[in-house]
Structure formats: C-alpha cells, structure tokens
Amino acid sequence: MSIMEVPRLLPPVPLPRTILKPSLATAEKLSPNEPPPEQEKPQDENDLKDNLFGEEEEVEKSPDVTICSAEEAERTAEERAAQRQLMAVQELVQSERNYLRMLQLSTVTIRSNLQKLQPPPANLDSIFLHVEDVTDVSGRLLGLLDQKNVQPGEPLFLEALCDAFLSLSSDIEAAYKEYLANYNQVIAVENAYKQKEALWEQIVKVIKTSAPEVNASSLSFFLVTPVQRIARYPLLLQTIQKHTDTRHPACALLEQTAHASIAINCRINEYKRFREVADKYKKSQTLSIMDKINRLNSHSIAKKTARMGQFLKHETGMVPKLVDEEFDALEGFFYVLEHGILRLLDNVELYLHHLQVGRHASKGVGLRERRPSSLSSSLFGPQTFSNCKTEEFDLDMDGEKVPVCYKEITTGLRQWILPVFEERTRTLIHKPLCALRDLLVGPRNLIRKRPQKLLDYEVIEAKPCPSYDEQAVADTYRTMNTLLLDELPKFNGLALQMIWSMLGTFSCLHKDLASDLEQLFRSFAQQPLNSSSQQRLRLLTDKHGSDKIYRVLSAAAGGRDLDLTLAKGELVAVIGRADTRGDGRRWLVDAGGRRGYAPASRLIRYHGAEEEEEEEPPPSPHLSLPQSASSARRHSYAAELPRHATTTTAAALGRPCFQVFAAYGFAARGNCEVSMAAGEPVRVLEPHDKRGNREWSLVEVRGRQRGYVPSNYLAAAPVAGTLATRHPSC
C-alpha cells in the first residue's frame, strides 16, 4: 500500500529510536546462564504506515459498527414518525373540539340574540337549518372518545378513534349531506340581509357582541365551518395513516376509516349535485312572450334546432328512439297519482265549502255557491242542510218537551259538533293534501324536462369528440335520469301511502261524527217518568230484570194480529227478539200485563234509574271549552272561538260533557242580576241579554235562582270520559 492511495492521512512522523533496557526486577529473575532477552527492533516507516492504514480499514469495515448505525437511524425515524402521528391525532381531536365550540356559539348564542331583534330577521330558521344535526354528530364523536378514557398518546387511542368514526359514519353522512345541500340557500338568505343596510348593521353588531374573541363580521364565518370540516376528515386521517407504522395493531382499521371518510365526501358531493339539478328544474316559471323573446340567443337557437332535428329523425325512423320501460312505468303511475290527488283535493275543498254554507247560513251570512260534487253532496249539500232551519220554529207537539230538545240539538250540531268536525277535517285531510299537491311540482317538472335533455344527450353522444360544455350537458341528463329512477319510486310509494292514510282518516272522522251525533241525540231523548210509568218500571224490572227494559221511541199502531198499540215513551220488557216465523223485525214485548209484538226499530234500550236523576230541562248548548283548566280566565266563556259550543249529556250516565262554572265571584247589584261564588257550577240559559249583548249571560245558579252575570266571569271545563275530551286536531 502506498501513501498516494490514502491522501487523507498525514505524512509519516519519524519515531525516536529507543533502546529498551531490562528493569532491575527482570534482571534479577533471569538466570546467569540464560541469555538476555532479545531487544525489539524498531519498525520500518513503511511497515508502520501499512500497520496504521490496515487497522483503519478494519475499523471501517467492522460489521458491528454498521449494524449499530442502521439501528440508531431506524430508531430515530420511528420516533420521528410516532411524534408526527401524535401531533396529527392531537390536531384532529383539538380541532374537532374547537369546531364544536364554534357551532354551539353560532346556534345557541348568536341565533338566540338574533331572534331578540325587533322585528327578527326573516327566514332566520332557514339559515340554521340542519346545524343542530351537525352539532349533534360532532358532540357524539367527541363523547365516544371521552368514554374510552384514553389519551392521544396511548396505544389504544387510535383504535378508539377509528371505532368512533366508523360507528357514526352513516350519521355523519346524513347530517352533512343535508347541510351542504342547503348551504347555497344559506348564502342567498345572508346576501338578502346584506341588501338591507340597517338590518345588516344590527346583525353584525350582534355577531361581534356575542363572539368578541372570534373577530367575525358575518354569519357565513360560522356557517362555512361544516363545509370545511367534512373535507378535512380525509386529510387528517390520511396524515395519521402516513405516519403510522404498518406493524401497528390499528393500521388496517385506520386505513378503513380513511377510505370511509373519502367515500362519505364522494357521496355527499354526488347528492349535492343531484339536489342542485333538482332545485334548478323543479321551479315553475311563468314567462311572458317578451321574456321568452329576451331569452333567445345564438346558443339557445342552436340548442333548440339540434333538438328539433333529433326529434324529426326519431319520427322519420332515421334514428332509433331510446326507450326506458322502467321509467315509462314510473312516469305513468306518477300521472295517475297526480290526477287522483288533485281530484281528491278538489272534492275535499268543496266538501268543506258546503259545511261552511251550512253553518253560516244559520247566522245569515251568505257564501258563494259552488258546483256540487259527488263526494261532498252526499252528506252536507248547500241545499239539503243550510235551507232547513227547523230550530227557528216553535213546534207544537201536544205539550211534550221534544221541541225544546230538538232546538238545542240542532243548535249544538251547528255551533259545536260541525265546527269541530270541520276543523279536524282541515287539519288531518285538507292541509296534508295541499302539502302533497305542492310536492308534485318538482317531479312533474323533471319528468317534463327529461325528453328535452334526452334529445341533447343523443346529439352529444353521436359526436366523436364533445366539448367540455357538451360533456356537462350530457352529465346533467345522466344526473337527472338517475335521480328520477332512484327517487320517483320512493315518491310514488309515499304518495300512495299518504292517500290511503288520508282516506282512512276521512272515514274515521265520519265515524266519530256519527258517534258524537248519536251521543248527542241519545242524551236529549230522555224524558222523566210519571207515577204510572214508574210503577210499570218497577213491575217489569222485578219480573224480567233491568236489562230487558226498553222505551218506545215513537207511537206504534198495531196493524196485525197480536200487535200492540204503544204510545211514545211507554216502557216495555222484551221477551223475544223475533216472532213465531223468525222475523227479527217484530219483538215480543210485555207492556205491563199486555203481551204482543212491537216494531224493533221503535224500541230503544232504557238505561235504568240513571235517566230519572236529571228531571230538569237539558243543559244549554251555549258553552265553550278552554284549552286548559289552569287558564280559565284567559279562555273565558265569552272569549272562546267558536263562541258557542254544545253541551251534551253522556249516553249512559246522563252527565253534561261540559260543566260551566264561575271563574270569579260576582255580587248582584240589582234584581235582574244574580250572585255567584268562584268555582260554583252554573247553567247558562242564554249567552246574551235581551238586546243581544254578549257581555252579559242569563244563568241559573243553586237550582232556581236566575239572573244576569258578566260573560267573562264564566268558564267551562270538560267532563272526563265524554266526547268533548277529543281534541279537534286528534
């Protein structure tokens, strides 16, 4: 080895020649016959150089030193990756907490302060639409991490983070999907606020006052954070995955979580694109001729010309027409549903109109007549009900109490039962039908626009190299077609389900109406018994039992052998429910010694002594129902709408459905007034004085004391277990 081969070494230094002499101890150990030890010769310079260089090369080529250096480098890289992973995890968690705090600040503090403005900004709720869902899912994500009770630096934290995100992935997608689809509407509303300078200054002032530490000057500063946050999830998770060792137990789970976040963003973008297309074409526009002329330009003319050319090719058979049997079936069913919904809505509106005609005609209020309908005229036509006002006439029926009852029944029917029925029909039938009708607009416009977009799509597909704009038009058709094929079956199914539900509800409403009418008529059909009738009742009850006692509804004249002639109100005991020939229309009865047959249709079950407890005239129908017992003063007797409600009696017990009582004590100041104590039950005879003034009501208290009291001193409460407990909107 020469010196020139290793230029990095210094030139050799001559070593001093040293003669080693044996020490005294060594000399003493040597025997006199042994020769002295051979002295070590000094090394030659070249030998010394070779020795030095050889040792250095051996040090450089040592395998132990190489392994140690590689291990240290690998260890350092792992520590650096672990540190970066920890920083990425901490950034995800801490940024999520800051993000949640911003959402809560905007939805709770700022929103509540904006609602306090007088008047509050219009469409304020639409700005914060779906923000609660986003806030909820973010809080649940952090809540799951807190429940694990692990810190970002611990080995199990990464697995807990992935499990929490995957378990909420569907909820995250649902919340952010609706929020991002509505974000353009949020920006539009905020821009509308900015057009009003005074209002916008108030909004900015509220924002700065509510969040001084943020230094924000617009609502979009807070409302854009969900848009940014959902896009950051894949970046943060991929950063964590990048710095995670492949040998980590949560590595596969982390990769799955990162892919899930990317898939969520892709589906949200696709949904947002579908919504934008649907919102664009679902709006109905009524354009004048001048508007259509102003919209004409070279692009629109070329587009319509291409459509016309493609249409002519289809009609002449030059180009085959694309046929989608699945869509054609959905389209046909949609139009059938649309026709049925509109027809049903028209019938229901006419039906409600006839009800109004019937009610307002009794008050002398004229309403415009409408053409009859097969649905509405079947029960309450404008000619069959409103023109019959028999309650206004005094009927002479041999001094019986029936005319008085009939007047109160008819008044109660007009003033309480029918208004409640009408209100329930509007709430449960008419309003849902109107909402369903409005929902038809979007699908109808998309269906009508599809053939035009299909023509554009066919023209573009025939071109070998379509432009960017043409490719966008083709994508619009694909999006529209996919949207219709996916959403139209769901819409048709839900619409059909709503129609069946409303028809069932309509039937139930009439069943309730019939039940209320039956209960009302039964309650007023009761008459007190005279002494002879009471004696017959005891005789028949002892002989046949109380369950066999019936009352004669109307006079029955016997026209056949063994038929009895019975007067109205007479009591009989039913012995058999058919004659000797098995005819169930003729019942065998005992009339207190006389036995014979009577028409079954003229007999009604007598409910025993309960019908004799109330021998006073039936309660007045002029009562009202407060919304709650605690608000008796606010919902007083005189201020309730409708002003008159009907008091009926329960069919079995003979109790009034409403009980009027004195909400406040009143001391009479003259002979025409009557005193009453707070909470004392009263009976309203007339809801006005002789001049028709409704501020005073004629009442009866403590049995026989009659007089006028202030109407607003009275309140009504329903009796449990009667028809009055059913709310109109139920």
Side-chain angles (χ1 to χ4, degrees), residues 122-123 186-197 199-200 203:
N123 300 322
V186 172
I187 299 301
V189 174
E190 186 180 28
N191 292 335
Y193 291 160
K194 293 180 180 179
Q195 300 299 324
K196 302 176 182 179
E197 185 176 353
L199 175 61
W200 183 246
I203 292 176

Side-chain angles (χ1 to χ4, degrees), residues 166-280:
L166 291 176
S167 63
L168 296 175
S169 59
S170 59
D171 296 338
I172 292 174
E173 179 179 350
Y176 282 92
K177 180 170 62 177
E178 296 299 333
Y179 184 86
L180 268 68
N182 189 64
Y183 184 70
N184 292 337
Q185 179 66 21
V186 172
I187 299 301
V189 174
E190 186 180 28
N191 292 335
Y193 291 160
K194 293 180 180 179
Q195 300 299 324
K196 302 176 182 179
E197 185 176 353
L199 175 61
W200 183 246
E201 289 179 356
Q202 291 181 336
I203 292 176
V204 173
K205 183 178 179 181
V206 168
I207 294 174
K208 291 183 176 296
T209 305
S210 304
E213 71 280 3
V214 179
N215 193 23
S217 59
S218 65
L219 290 172
S220 59
F221 178 86
F222 299 94
L223 300 178
V224 76
T225 51
V227 181
Q228 300 170 341
R229 187 61 185 175
I230 190 62
R232 287 197 64 190
Y233 284 132
L235 300 177
L236 292 172
L237 291 172
Q238 287 176 339
T239 302
I240 298 174
Q241 182 186 7
K242 177 182 177 182
H243 299 293
T244 301
D245 190 0
T246 56
R247 296 169 296 179
H248 195 283
C251 182
L253 190 60
L254 180 60
E255 182 179 2
Q256 180 184 356
T257 307
H259 289 325
S261 64
I262 296 174
I264 289 174
N265 277 267
C266 293
R267 289 193 293 268
I268 290 176
N269 290 334
E270 190 72 8
Y271 178 79
K272 188 174 184 296
R273 188 163 62 90
F274 282 2
R275 282 287 299 270
E276 289 174 352
V277 172
D279 293 341
K280 178 181 179 181

